Amino acid sequence: MSAPSIVILTGAGISAESGLGTFRDEGGLWAQHRIEDVATPEGFARNPQLVVDFYNARRTQAAEATPNAAHEALARLQSEHSGSVTLVTQNVDALHEKGGSKTVIHMHGALNSALCGRCEHRWSAPLEMTVGQSCPHCGAPSARPDIVWFGEMPYEMDRIEKALARADVFVAIGTSGNVYPAAGFVQLARHAGAHTIEMNLDPGENVGLFDDIRPGMASQTVPAWVSEVLSQ
Ligand code: APR
């Protein structure tokens, strides 16, 4: 039997123990800011300074954060597991990469990337972006955070769906299962006959769709699971 193909989806919960806030927990980011003001194209058009300031603050906080045992365990899995491992994150921090992961699919974009609203050129974002910053490629004053806002299409969906279609194991870590299409990945994995595992502090909205529920802190549950997989 060849080694199982594993697809992993992470959410804000995997970065919580690294000090980065989640969205929907008590006092989370969506308790402090209105989604429509800071995470939609309309909000950016209405008040670009508010949006640029919001992501500048998160970029600085993420730049100072360090990966935790969960990020490091997933990097170990990617380097030691003989089957394929596809790591998809909804997170825009770079803690998977800081934890040693070489290949990470950032389906909601990344704080350390800037995007041109006109030509779609991408470049490394400065720690502090400014409103009306010029695109280094087309020169238009249309730089924006390279973040997928509500109403926009997440990145790399073809690649993700192909990986889910051939998954033997699907694991969701630290995500509340509130936001689609990510919250629907468990159904795609089940259609492919994959064994599905949820690792969360509190059960997600879609917890009923998982075969195996492992509640707890990601820094505990993820390394334990990775050791289990690598010892098989
Ligand atoms: N260990 C494991 N899970 C945790 C931990 C922890 N230490 N702390 C919190 N969690 C869990 C919570 O129980 C919750 O289920 O992480 C989840 C966080 O859920 P959300 O705050 O909704 O974050 P997420 O699911 O990543 O949000 C998805 O929504 O707003 C958009 O684009 C944004 O990518 C984000 C998407």
Side-chain angles (χ1 to χ4, degrees):
M1 155 95 166
S2 63
S5 290
I6 302 174
V7 177
I8 300 158
L9 171 71
T10 64
I14 199 170
S15 297
E17 291 164 86
S18 295
L20 298 184
T22 61
F23 294 94
R24 296 173 183 81
D25 288 329
E26 186 75 24
L29 281 165
W30 296 149
Q32 305 161 42
H33 306 271
R34 285 169 11 114
I35 287 178
E36 50 274 35
D37 290 343
V38 295
T40 62
E42 297 77 11
F44 183 62
R46 195 168 48 243
N47 186 343
Q49 192 60 58
L50 177 75
V51 175
V52 163
D53 291 347
F54 175 68
Y55 288 100
N56 284 349
R58 290 185 64 199
R59 190 175 300 106
T60 299
Q61 205 198 9
E64 290 159 3
T66 50
N68 61 59
H71 298 106
E72 290 161 354
L74 294 183
R76 192 166 64 249
L77 182 74
Q78 283 181 293
S79 66
E80 295 176 20
H81 181 60
S82 48
S84 85
V85 180
T86 304
L87 176 56
V88 184
T89 187
Q90 300 170 93
N91 299 339
V92 293
D93 62 59
L95 291 178
H96 283 301
E97 292 85 346
K98 285 186 185 175
S101 286
K102 301 274 178 294
T103 314
V104 186
I105 300 176
H106 281 273
M107 66 179 289
H108 287 170
L111 287 166
N112 57 20
S113 174
L115 170 68
C116 174
R118 194 171 89 178
C119 75
E120 299 202 337
H121 176 66
R122 284 181 173 81
W123 67 97
S124 290
L127 209 48
E128 298 271 320
M129 288 188 74
T130 52
V131 173
Q133 205 171 323
S134 301
C135 167
H137 180 71
C138 75
S142 50
R144 55 166 273 187
D146 186 11
I147 301 291
V148 177
W149 287 325
F150 285 89
E152 296 183 324
M153 191 56 176
Y155 296 152
E156 306 258 22
M157 286 304 295
D158 286 351
R159 192 169 156 206
I160 296 166
E161 284 162 3
K162 282 197 182 76
L164 289 166
R166 56 171 192 271
D168 299 303
V169 179
F170 172 72
V171 191
I173 302 168
T175 180
S176 63
N178 266 292
V179 176
Y180 287 80
F185 290 174
V186 58
Q187 277 123 324
L188 296 179
R190 291 177 71 86
H191 281 317
H195 178 69
T196 55
I197 307 171
E198 186 203 52
M199 294 183 203
N200 243 352
L201 205 47
D202 306 314
E205 289 291 306
N206 54 359
V207 64
L209 294 168
F210 288 87
D211 301 311
D212 180 357
I213 313 294
R214 303 192 181 194
M217 303 284 268
S219 63
Q220 313 282 325
T221 55
V222 177
W225 171 70
V226 166
S227 301
E228 210 180 277
V229 173
L230 294 179
S231 64
Q232 276 162 2

